[in-house]
Amino acid sequence: MRQYTTAANASLAVFLASGIIHEWLNYSVQVYHHVDVPKESINNPDNVILGSNLAFFAWQFVIISIEQYLGGMSPVKAPQLLVPFTIIMTSLPFAFWFAEPYFQGRFFWDYEGLMPTIIKMV
């Protein structure tokens, strides 16, 4: 796609396609369950959390675009570890946009016995 348009448009198309694929995966995971999942944990398709994966990938596009823009403009070369550190630190606060639907949809239900998890007790 890059040969037909700018690098920014190609990046946007890739991030949007990835967001749409993850939204479809999220919907599929939450609606269609494994046979061993208890009936009370099956979600109603109307309650599926949609849009957060697309928002996460849109945010990733913004971060990468800013990084490319500032990298091209800056007369001073940034230290080698500063760029990846900054990208990670601006992405991590929004990681719940990506992970929350999978946790709510019990995607990791089979692994809960193997993973230590922190559960809020009321």
Side-chain angles (χ1 to χ4, degrees):
M1 182 168 178
R2 193 172 177 180
Q3 65 186 1
Y4 301 113
T5 185
T6 65
N9 287 340
S11 295
L12 177 61
V14 168
F15 279 110
L16 285 178
S18 187
I20 290 168
I21 289 170
H22 280 86
E23 289 293 340
W24 171 79
L25 177 66
N26 177 29
Y27 183 80
S28 299
V29 163
Q30 290 194 35
V31 173
Y32 304 106
H33 285 277
H34 192 271
V35 193
D36 297 336
V37 176
K39 295 288 185 206
E40 61 272 1
S41 71
I42 294 178
N43 288 331
N44 181 349
D46 296 334
N47 296 334
V48 175
I49 302 169
L50 292 176
S52 63
N53 281 276
L54 193 57
F56 176 77
F57 282 100
W59 177 245
Q60 299 309 306
F61 167 72
V62 169
I63 291 171
I64 296 300
S65 297
I66 290 171
E67 184 260 334
Q68 289 176 349
Y69 179 72
L70 293 178
M73 284 182 40
S74 177
V76 178
K77 181 108 170 116
Q80 190 154 357
L81 290 176
L82 182 64
V83 174
F85 177 77
T86 305
I87 290 172
I88 290 170
M89 296 313 291
T90 54
S91 298
L92 278 179
F94 301 98
F96 69 92
W97 282 350
F98 182 78
E100 186 65 22
Y102 296 101
F103 288 123
Q104 293 294 326
R106 311 269 303 168
F107 180 70
F108 300 108
W109 185 78
D110 292 331
Y111 305 107
E112 285 179 0
L114 303 173
M115 292 189 322
T117 55
I118 299 172
I119 301 172
K120 182 178 178 180
M121 303 295 284
V122 274

